[in-house]
């Protein structure tokens, strides 16, 4: 896609190099596996080791725990490139980095960090993040999963649902009520009393592995409690902020993929004896798509700048997640339409992006929830309940 | 064994090339640049020698404007140990580059110099050969496989009729062809570390080398736009098209 506003000039040469390296990995290595993985509904696990050797997992964390101290821009650009391939790739990496490694780094003890983070950076341990439950989605404080003290440890009971990576994870970060409020627990998935099962038959994010977790008297030792989570639910939400920032960038990668695919197609497809790209109505759609992508990138860049300086607030991140998911989904649908019947073919990535983005629009806070967060910011009135 | 790898900054091969309206060259403003893909293969070969314990140091060198530093950093991110930029804003033709590289070879005394077989912008395919001539070293061009054997390097070359194997006495020049290897994607930690690796800038004018262009470019123009093809159903129809309509048979 053409860089009309020369936005690349706002990134450092390292950031651009990181972006280009991931873009090449996605194009040359991942791309051929994505459509088949989507069709077969399985996560292409063979990519984990290569993503790890690129240094993607936990890239924002310090070197001492296996990270690279990368900037917010680098993280955003990596998400953008992964999701240009498929939202499933970006989801995998968001969960591993922002929803598992980040909380272990932020809320974990020194021992927990050393035990898990370097192995997670190498992709040897896969993590998942269990917040949502069958009866608790947008309102996570209503969760039923609970942990009771017992035998120098905790006993967990409850069920989690819609958990990305759960079926392939070695480690689950489980959020559960305790008598002192909600806390985060690290549960190894080979323990007694925890079962992770795959949720099959999805129409969206088919190349991502999604699962249910059931906890039946699952005992874990004291040292598996994340000690820094004493602030309760707000700790879980702070992880979501990291991930949402990545989603705001990621979905624009998917949108760009749709734009590129559609514009190449329209230049070559002739109807009524002329390329489709030569018709005014078609050009209007193309320009509208392009315009929204550029605007979303500007939003991401300013937000990234504030993430780098530590000045980003949850409301800002909500704004970007809300706008960019909505626009990406709209763009994908428009691109799908512009390509006629071929728009639904598996030969092109566009329909895959359309259905994937339906999930991305919903997870990590639905569109409504981000509106409510911003509504509260504007009016000072909490309209959640 | 020290290995020197020459790398050139060129327009990224994914980019659609646009010729300037006045025919004086191609548009490079606001255009994505990258390392010449054949040079990337050459560098990968050098890094693999180092990883196999057969090379002690890999030095990347580029000739051109200060923007080539970016390309050199990309080389350092792939795994080169240090970088040298011979800086000049003059137009550089293959002979000039070969002369500048000759000066770097004299300064660094590598045992092996890797280059790409050609750069994808000018497609000259001359620099490696000219450098070998200036140094009076053996050369193995279009390499698709290499094996270091004591004081020799065996090079499998892609030639018109197939593959040719030559054994060169070191020091030698090797130019990389497409099938020599598949270059790695630089990893994030290595990209970050590349910032700290040494990059020496030498001004070309300080070397007192005549780098004046010997050739004058008269005009650059885009290739003619290809007419859309047609599908034919039978051999007869094909023959008719070629013989009667197009008159090429
Ligand atoms: C593919 C996929 C992967 C996922 N991965 C994970 C994961 O790894 N970990 C995890 O914990 N969760 C995960 N989720 C769950 C996801 O975060 C939830 O689906 C999401 O938070 C919404 O919850 P819900 O589905 O229960 O919808 P509900 O909360 O039931 O909402 C249904 C609808 O009502 C709207 N709504 C809800 N409350 C209000 C209100 N007060 N006012 C107005 N409208 C409202 C919502 O916007 C939505 O449109 C995943 C989901 C999907 C689809």
């Amino acid at each position: 896609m053409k860089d009309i506003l020369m936005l690349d000039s706002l990134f450092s040469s390292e950031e651009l190099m990181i972006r280009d390296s991931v873009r090449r990995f996605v194009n040359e290595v991942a791309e051929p596996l994505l459509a088949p993985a989507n069709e077969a509904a399985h996560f292409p696990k063979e990519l984990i080791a290569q993503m790890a050797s690129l240094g993607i997992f936990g890239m924002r964390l310090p070197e001492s725990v296996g990270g690279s101290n990368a900037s917010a821009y680098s993280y955003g650009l990596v998400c953008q490139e992964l999701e240009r391939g498929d939202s499933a790739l970006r989801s995998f990496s968001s969960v591993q980095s922002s929803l598992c490694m980040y909380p272990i780094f932020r809320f974990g003890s020194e021992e927990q960090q050393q035990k898990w983070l370097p192995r997670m950076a190498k992709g040897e341990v896969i993590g998942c993040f269990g917040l949502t439950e069958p009866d608790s989605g947008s309102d996570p404080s209503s969760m039923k999963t609970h942990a009771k003290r017992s035998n120098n440890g905790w006993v967990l009971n409850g069920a989690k649902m819609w958990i990305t990576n759960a079926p392939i994870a070695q480690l689950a970060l489980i959020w559960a009520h305790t008598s002192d409020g909600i806390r985060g627990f690290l549960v190894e998935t080979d323990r007694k009393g925890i079962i992770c099962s795959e949720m099959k038959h999805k129409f969206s994010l088919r190349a991502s592995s999604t699962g249910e977790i059931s906890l039946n008297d699952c005992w874990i030792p004291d040292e598996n409690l994340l000690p820094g989570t004493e602030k309760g639910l707000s700790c879980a939400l702070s992880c979501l902020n990291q991930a949402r920032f990545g989603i705001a960038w990621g979905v624009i990668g998917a949108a760009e993929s749709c734009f590129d695919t559609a514009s190449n197609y329209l230049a070559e497809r002739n109807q009524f004896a002329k390329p489709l790209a030569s018709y005014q109505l078609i050009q209007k759609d193309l320009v509208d798509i392009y315009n929204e992508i550029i605007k979303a990138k500007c939003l991401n860049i300013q937000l990234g700048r504030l993430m780098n300086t530590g000045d980003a607030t949850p409301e800002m991140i909500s704004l970007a997640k809300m706008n960019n998911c909505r626009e990406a989904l709209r763009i994908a649908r428009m691109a799908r339409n512009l390509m006629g019947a071929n728009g639904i073919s598996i030969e092109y990535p566009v329909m895959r992006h359309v259905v994937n983005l339906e999930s991305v629009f919903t997870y990590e806070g639905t569109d409504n929830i981000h509106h409510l967060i911003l509504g509260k910011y504007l009016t000072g009135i909490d309209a959640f309940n | 064994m020290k290995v020197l790898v020459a790398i050139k900054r060129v327009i990224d091969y994914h980019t659609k090339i646009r010729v300037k309206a006045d025919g004086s060259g191609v548009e490079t403003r606001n255009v994505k640049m990258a390392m010449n893909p054949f040079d990337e293969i050459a560098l990968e070969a050098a890094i693999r020698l180092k990883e196999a314990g057969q090379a002690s140091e890999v030095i990347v060198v580029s000739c051109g404007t200060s923007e080539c530093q970016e390309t050199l950093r990309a080389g350092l991110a792939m795994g080169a140990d240090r970088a040298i930029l011979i800086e000049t804003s003059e137009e550089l033709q293959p002979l000039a580059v070969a002369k500048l590289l000759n000066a770097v070879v004299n300064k660094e005394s590598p045992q092996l110099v890797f280059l790409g077989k050609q750069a994808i912008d000018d497609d000259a395919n001359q620099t490696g050969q000219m450098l070998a001539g200036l140094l009076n070293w053996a050369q193995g061009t279009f390499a698709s496989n290499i094996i270091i054997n004591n004081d020799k390097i065996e090079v499998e070359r892609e030639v018109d009729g197939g593959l040719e194997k030559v054994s060169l006495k070191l020091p030698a020049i090797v130019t990389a062809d497409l099938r020599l290897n598949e270059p790695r994607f630089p990893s994030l930690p290595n990209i970050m570390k590349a910032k700290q690796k040494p990059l020496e800038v030498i001004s070309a004018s300080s070397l007192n080398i005549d780098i004046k262009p010997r050739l004058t470019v008269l005009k650059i123009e885009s290739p003619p736009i290809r007419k859309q093809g047609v599908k034919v159903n039978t051999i007869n129809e094909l023959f008719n098209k070629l013989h009667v309509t197009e008159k090429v048979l």
Side-chain angles (χ1 to χ4, degrees), chain A residues 92-379:
Chain A
F92 177 88
S93 149
S94 290
V95 169
Q96 181 79 350
S97 298
S98 291
L99 295 183
C100 292
M101 295 180 71
Y102 171 79
I104 293 174
F105 175 71
R106 174 95 191 271
F107 308 118
S109 64
E110 181 64 33
E111 295 77 59
Q112 286 169 333
Q113 294 184 16
Q114 286 308 328
K115 179 169 180 189
W116 296 110
L117 294 177
R119 282 199 286 158
M120 294 183 86
K122 288 193 194 120
E124 293 163 6
V125 170
I126 305 305
C128 67
F129 179 89
L131 183 67
T132 305
E133 301 186 354
D135 296 320
S136 165
S138 298
D139 176 18
S141 64
S142 68
M143 70 172 65
K144 298 210 174 65
T145 301
H146 57 84
K148 279 211 177 80
R149 283 208 159 277
S150 142
N151 258 334
N152 300 325
W154 299 84
V155 171
L156 274 67
N157 277 291
K160 298 289 175 182
M161 202 177 175
W162 294 111
I163 307 305
T164 303
N165 292 354
I168 54 172
Q170 286 77 41
L171 188 66
L173 167 48
I174 300 289
W175 297 91
H177 277 294
T178 70
S179 53
D180 299 325
I182 291 173
R183 297 284 181 275
F185 298 90
L186 297 174
V187 185
E188 299 89 343
T189 56
D190 58 1
R191 276 190 184 274
K192 232 176 103 196
I194 176 168
I195 297 172
C196 300
S197 48
E198 175 114 33
M199 295 174 68
K200 294 222 163 82
H201 312 298
K202 291 179 301 181
F203 275 128
S204 168
L205 273 187
R206 286 171 60 81
S208 171
S209 177
T210 314
E212 284 174 351
I213 301 177
S214 74
L215 297 149
N216 291 305
D217 288 332
C218 179
W219 181 85
I220 51 167
D222 264 340
E223 70 226 36
N224 282 27
L225 166 74
L226 283 178
T229 56
E230 74 279 347
K231 288 220 180 90
L233 194 58
S234 68
C235 299
L237 299 182
S238 76
C239 310
L240 296 180
N241 273 326
Q242 302 295 313
R244 286 168 182 171
F245 171 74
I247 292 173
W249 287 72
V251 289
I252 294 311
E256 256 192 89
S257 161
C258 293
F259 172 82
D260 287 341
T261 310
S263 47
N264 287 337
Y265 184 86
L266 295 167
E268 278 166 23
R269 171 85 176 167
N270 289 324
Q271 284 299 291
F272 304 98
K274 280 198 305 185
L276 285 176
S278 64
Y279 295 99
Q280 291 179 346
L281 285 173
I282 302 274
Q283 287 192 3
K284 178 174 185 304
D285 272 4
L286 273 180
V287 171
D288 283 346
I289 292 177
Y290 183 71
N291 182 32
E292 286 307 328
I293 293 178
I294 299 289
K295 279 155 68 181
K297 285 189 169 184
C298 293
L299 182 55
N300 281 341
I301 288 170
Q302 169 64 354
L303 182 61
R305 203 176 69 81
L306 295 168
M307 290 289 273
N308 274 333
T309 56
D311 293 316
T313 64
E315 289 82 10
M316 298 176 188
I317 297 173
S318 280
L319 186 83
K321 196 281 178 182
M322 177 183 75
N323 178 74
N324 294 5
C325 287
R326 179 184 62 209
E327 291 309 326
L329 183 55
R330 215 169 55 89
I331 287 167
R333 289 170 178 165
M334 280 170 81
R336 207 299 298 145
N337 170 53
L338 287 170
M339 293 173 66
N342 276 323
I344 69 151
S345 165
I346 201 163
E347 294 293 314
Y348 298 94
V350 175
M351 190 65 192
R352 188 153 48 85
H353 287 308
V354 174
V355 289
N356 282 343
L357 289 167
E358 292 286 350
S359 284
V360 184
F361 188 67
T362 288
Y363 71 29
E364 297 275 357
T366 65
D367 184 64
N368 277 359
I369 292 302
H370 291 298
H371 274 91
L372 293 181
I373 292 172
L374 287 156
K376 184 176 164 195
Y377 168 78
L378 289 180
T379 64

Side-chain angles (χ1 to χ4, degrees), chain A residues 12-45:
Chain A
S12 72
S13 58
E14 284 91 44
E15 286 159 348
L16 292 175
M17 223 188 282
I18 290 167
R19 178 195 68 187
D20 292 348
S21 196
V22 176
R23 183 176 294 181
R24 280 179 69 179
F25 160 76
V26 170
N27 268 340
E28 294 168 28
V29 181
E31 190 65 41
L33 305 180
L34 292 172
N38 190 73
E39 216 173 5
H42 78 89
F43 177 74
K45 276 205 230 172

Side-chain angles (χ1 to χ4, degrees), chain B residues 131-197:
Chain B
L131 178 61
L134 291 172
L135 285 164
N136 204 18
W137 284 10
Q139 57 177 299
T141 49
F142 314 121
S144 62
N145 195 20
I146 51 166
I147 300 168
I148 303 272
N149 207 341
N150 297 321
D151 60 341
K152 292 207 172 72
I153 178 166
E154 279 158 29
V155 180
E156 202 170 82
R157 309 181 56 229
E158 297 198 359
V159 293
D160 280 351
L163 292 177
E164 178 185 71
K165 271 192 192 155
V166 292
S167 177
L168 315 176
K169 226 175 117 207
L170 295 172
I173 306 287
V174 173
T175 74
D177 211 327
L178 196 63
R179 273 163 287 271
L180 181 57
N181 57 49
E182 280 183 32
R184 69 197 61 198
F185 312 113
S187 76
L188 220 136
N190 287 344
I191 291 171
M192 310 288 278
K193 273 184 219 133
K195 264 190 289 199
Q196 268 97 46
K197 291 184 179 176

Side-chain angles (χ1 to χ4, degrees), chain A residues 40-113:
Chain A
H42 78 89
F43 177 74
K45 276 205 230 172
E46 55 271 49
L47 295 176
I48 297 175
Q50 276 161 292
M51 284 199 264
S53 67
L54 275 172
I56 289 176
F57 304 141
M59 57 188 272
R60 297 267 282 138
L61 304 183
E63 282 148 32
S64 56
V65 292
S68 296
N69 241 330
S71 66
Y73 282 162
S74 306
Y75 179 63
L77 289 167
V78 166
C79 290
Q80 177 187 295
E81 294 313 315
L82 292 176
E83 196 147 359
R84 186 191 300 277
D86 194 297
S87 302
L89 272 191
R90 202 268 309 132
S91 298
F92 177 88
S93 149
S94 290
V95 169
Q96 181 79 350
S97 298
S98 291
L99 295 183
C100 292
M101 295 180 71
Y102 171 79
I104 293 174
F105 175 71
R106 174 95 191 271
F107 308 118
S109 64
E110 181 64 33
E111 295 77 59
Q112 286 169 333
Q113 294 184 16

